[in-house]
Amino acid sequence: MKLARFVLKIVGASLAMAGGVCLLIGYWDKITDPHRFTLCRRRPSEYDDYADVDEY
């Protein structure tokens, strides 16, 4: 029974670490964003180029 608990602890720790790595990879673009420290400037949206399309 001790061995089964130890194996389950190892599996649980491995799954938790894999989840952390997945979160890190998923949010990598937000973590490395160079504009995250600008408080006053608003970044242009990727849809600003198509603003004139909405008028029709």
Side-chain angles (χ1 to χ4, degrees):
M1 195 67 176
K2 271 184 153 179
L3 181 65
R5 286 184 188 166
F6 180 71
V7 168
L8 285 176
K9 285 181 183 179
I10 296 293
V11 169
S14 299
L15 287 174
M17 190 174 77
V21 169
C22 287
L23 283 174
L24 181 70
I25 291 171
Y27 287 103
W28 186 254
D29 59 336
K30 290 179 177 45
I31 293 170
T32 59
D33 189 11
H35 299 288
R36 70 180 182 268
F37 294 113
T38 58
L39 298 175
C40 300
R41 262 191 335 213
R42 184 181 74 88
R43 287 187 7 195
S45 172
E46 61 182 295
Y47 301 109
D48 284 346
D49 294 340
Y50 303 106
D52 59 341
V53 176
D54 295 334
E55 294 175 0
Y56 298 109

